[in-house]
Amino acid sequence: MAEDARKKTFWERLIQIDRRVIYLIIALAMILPFFFQMGLPIPVTKEVKDIYDHIEALTPNDVVILSADFDPSVSPELLPMFDALFRHCLKKDVKTIAMSLYIQGPGLIAPIIQEAAKDYQKVNGVDYVFMPWIYGYTLVVMDMMEDLKATFPTDYYGTRIEDIPIVKKIENYEDYDLIVCFTGSSSYAWWLLYAHEPYGVPMATGVTAVSAADIYPYIQSGQYIGMLGGLKGAAEYETLINEKRMATMGMEAQNWAHIVIILFIIIGNIGYMAIARKK
Amino acid sequence: MHISINPWVWLGVFFTFSVLSFLYKDNPFYKLAEHVTVGVSIGYGMVIIWHNALIPRFYMPVFQEGKLILIIPAILGLMMILRIVPKYSWLSRYAICFSVGGGAGLAIPRSMQASVLRQLEATMLDLGFTTTQGINNIVIFVGVLAVLIYFFFSKEHKGVFGGIAKLGIWFLMVGFGATFGYTVMARLSLFIGRVLFVLQDFLGINLAG
């Protein structure tokens, strides 16, 4: 009883702080930077630069597949990546196939594609093609490695595949020069297993930050050209193509939140040690 | 600042705050948002499957083009659904056998190639102390060996063997630390997405400057 009644020390009170206060501080640390931008630098990592360099080296006859294999739960991280790479492909005039193995993917990327196409004055079916969702996941990957036109009878807008100019000369894996899979799950492995390994199509991936650490072994082994990891990866790519968009705007908030969290971890540990020493 | 007049944006904002309200405590708004998410996802999925899979991949080929072979996988699919009828649920096992057998047959050899053999190959490196790459390669080589030894449980972790296993724990801890850091970054990114939606799409604030 006497123990309960004694006055709590500063560290004891700090350690027992309501978690909602912490949420509030982190929320403020993330919202305020949108209004007071300090222009913190976004250094580009080798994993991102390698993808950029690969696309830069492509010619207008080359074909890039961008597969948005995700749903709304991870779209804040992956949509900016898709947006940046799609814009880079349009800028480079490479033939781009935009698609998704996930049922909710096409609905998410449709507005991004339309906006980018409008900005670069590109036409669906001529400069790029937007494919619909087809049931099958890994089977879709295997099918399109063998025969693109048989896999997708129409594009996303219902135009018959035979009537789409851009795919006339695209047959199968021999015509693909890069596959980039954007995913918050294990679908990067589907492309790796059923496209890269058997057919040798160059691959890169854009993953949520949670999955980023799992990808490094595949980069080290040379199976992936590179990787975009989380919002940071997307912001790095926006820096490379010189278009500061969704990801770059979010990075300032991300940086400040990290600083606050690091401070909390340090303070929490000092408090824990101070209390432990007293006991 | 131009507050949106689009009702869908307002609905999005309502559900955003409903979900975030869970951080304060569990409440009916959070429950509503949770149930709506599940319901909408399933409903959306069913409609897309109907239009993009069943009609063009089954109905049209079978009934308009006469590709009767497709009736066999359709029957297997129906057998799978019979799991919900207790009297005939045993039939679903045949469909599952087919699915598991086909899936495993396709995946196992390729997984061995992509995730085991290629990774083994990637540990056979030029080791050396004269270049940065050489030192990196030593770290990779030692790390892989130490972690593998940590997961070898047929010999007691004592002596030199135990020391290497302990080194393996250190490598694992570094890996977990990196994963944790990335996870924090991922969760913050999701919140940033919602903040951008509220500030730009709802409040109409031009953040691009």
Side-chain angles (χ1 to χ4, degrees), chain B residues 81-93:
Chain B
I81 294 171
L82 283 173
R83 279 187 76 80
I84 58 174
V85 184
K87 195 177 173 187
Y88 299 107
S89 65
W90 60 274
L91 278 168
S92 67
R93 289 180 198 157

Side-chain angles (χ1 to χ4, degrees), chain A residues 19-20 23 26-27 30-31 34-35 73-74 76-77 103-104 107 132-135 139 142 150-153 192-194 196-198 209-210 212-213 216-218 220-223 227 229-232 246 249-250 253-254 257-258 261, chain B residues 22-25 40-41 44-46 48-49 52-53 56-57 103 106-108 110-111 113-115 118-119 122-123 125 137 140 175 178-196 199-200 205 207-208:
Chain A
R19 65 190 161 82
R20 286 168 290 201
Y23 293 151
I26 292 174
M30 293 175 77
I31 294 167
F34 284 107
F35 299 98
S73 64
V74 289
E77 280 189 278
I103 201 162
Q104 291 162 326
W133 176 81
I134 299 283
Y135 183 79
L139 300 176
M142 287 191 279
T151 311
F152 296 100
L192 188 76
L193 262 57
Y194 301 107
H196 173 76
E197 286 300 329
V210 175
Y216 281 99
Y218 296 103
Q220 196 259 330
S221 64
Q223 289 162 289
M227 168 191 72
L231 198 69
K232 166 90 167 42
M246 290 180 273
M249 276 193 268
Q254 181 98 275
H258 285 184
I261 288 169
Chain B
F22 183 78
L23 292 175
Y24 184 74
K25 67 176 189 181
V40 168
S41 299
Y44 181 82
M46 285 173 75
I48 299 284
I49 286 172
N52 286 30
R57 299 262 155 170
L106 277 170
I108 290 172
R110 294 183 187 207
S111 297
Q113 169 68 21
S115 302
R118 288 293 299 272
Q119 293 303 316
T123 59
L125 303 160
N137 291 348
I140 290 169
T179 304
F180 175 72
Y182 267 126
T183 305
V184 170
M185 191 166 109
R187 301 302 174 237
L188 296 177
S189 303
L190 300 183
F191 183 67
I192 287 169
R194 287 295 83 196
V195 172
L196 277 171
L199 295 180
Q200 286 194 139
I205 298 169
L207 297 168

Side-chain angles (χ1 to χ4, degrees), chain B residues 3-16 197 201-202:
Chain B
I3 294 178
S4 173
I5 51 166
N6 184 343
W8 294 110
V9 173
W10 279 75
L11 201 62
V13 170
F14 170 74
F15 282 119
T16 297
F197 170 71
D201 298 34
F202 178 60

Side-chain angles (χ1 to χ4, degrees), chain A:
Chain A
M1 193 70 184
E3 182 72 16
D4 292 342
R6 77 174 172 80
K7 199 178 172 194
K8 285 179 180 170
T9 65
F10 168 76
W11 290 113
E12 281 171 332
R13 273 183 283 140
L14 199 69
I15 292 292
Q16 288 165 8
I17 197 167
D18 193 325
R19 65 190 161 82
R20 286 168 290 201
V21 176
I22 296 170
Y23 293 151
L24 185 67
I25 295 170
I26 292 174
L28 285 174
M30 293 175 77
I31 294 167
L32 292 177
F34 284 107
F35 299 98
F36 307 104
Q37 295 269 330
M38 291 177 70
L40 295 173
I42 301 168
V44 178
T45 53
K46 185 181 179 300
E47 292 77 24
V48 176
K49 182 74 167 50
D50 287 346
I51 301 175
Y52 174 83
D53 289 342
H54 189 90
I55 294 178
E56 272 295 297
L58 296 177
T59 64
N61 282 328
D62 293 329
V63 178
V64 173
I65 297 171
L66 301 180
S67 188
D69 305 332
F70 55 87
D71 57 26
S73 64
V74 289
S75 62
E77 280 189 278
L78 301 179
L79 265 185
M81 291 181 194
F82 181 89
D83 181 49
L85 262 87
F86 186 66
R87 282 170 180 272
H88 190 200
C89 291
L90 292 187
K91 201 186 270 185
K92 283 292 298 173
D93 272 332
V94 294
K95 294 176 180 170
T96 310
I97 300 172
M99 57 170 287
S100 174
L101 298 176
Y102 270 46
I103 201 162
Q104 291 162 326
L108 289 170
I109 59 173
I112 298 277
I113 288 173
Q114 283 159 9
E115 192 190 336
K118 196 176 155 196
D119 289 351
Y120 286 92
Q121 296 177 324
K122 302 288 180 185
V123 180
N124 179 50
V126 179
D127 303 298
Y128 68 93
V129 62
F130 181 19
M131 296 302 192
W133 176 81
I134 299 283
Y135 183 79
Y137 307 101
T138 53
L139 300 176
V140 175
V141 176
M142 287 191 279
D143 276 357
M144 64 186 289
M145 289 302 121
E146 295 294 334
D147 190 344
L148 179 74
K149 295 184 191 85
T151 311
F152 296 100
T154 66
D155 75 353
Y156 178 76
Y157 304 102
T159 311
R160 291 188 334 142
I161 200 83
E162 305 85 56
D163 302 332
I164 300 172
I166 192 176
V167 295
K168 282 210 163 69
K169 286 183 182 171
I170 305 174
E171 295 292 334
N172 54 30
Y173 67 93
E174 290 180 342
D175 301 312
Y176 307 142
D177 298 283
L178 178 66
I179 297 168
V180 188
C181 154
F182 304 90
T183 182
S185 69
S186 58
S187 81
Y188 63 84
W190 302 343
W191 287 99
L192 188 76
L193 262 57
Y194 301 107
H196 173 76
E197 286 300 329
Y199 300 103
V201 183
M203 261 207 79
T205 188
V207 291
T208 50
V210 175
S211 313
D214 299 339
I215 303 298
Y216 281 99
Y218 296 103
I219 297 173
Q220 196 259 330
S221 64
Q223 289 162 289
Y224 287 130
I225 291 166
M227 168 191 72
L228 287 91
L231 198 69
K232 166 90 167 42
E236 288 175 39
Y237 212 89
E238 287 181 359
T239 306
L240 285 169
I241 61 168
N242 204 19
E243 289 201 29
K244 297 196 185 311
R245 295 175 58 78
M246 290 180 273
T248 309
M249 276 193 268
M251 276 316 290
E252 192 103 356
Q254 181 98 275
N255 286 333
W256 280 107
H258 285 184
I259 290 168
V260 170
I261 288 169
I262 289 167
L263 285 175
F264 280 161
I265 290 172
I266 293 169
I267 293 168
N269 276 283
I270 292 171
Y272 175 80
M273 283 189 286
I275 292 166
R277 189 170 292 173
K278 203 176 172 191
K279 281 178 181 171

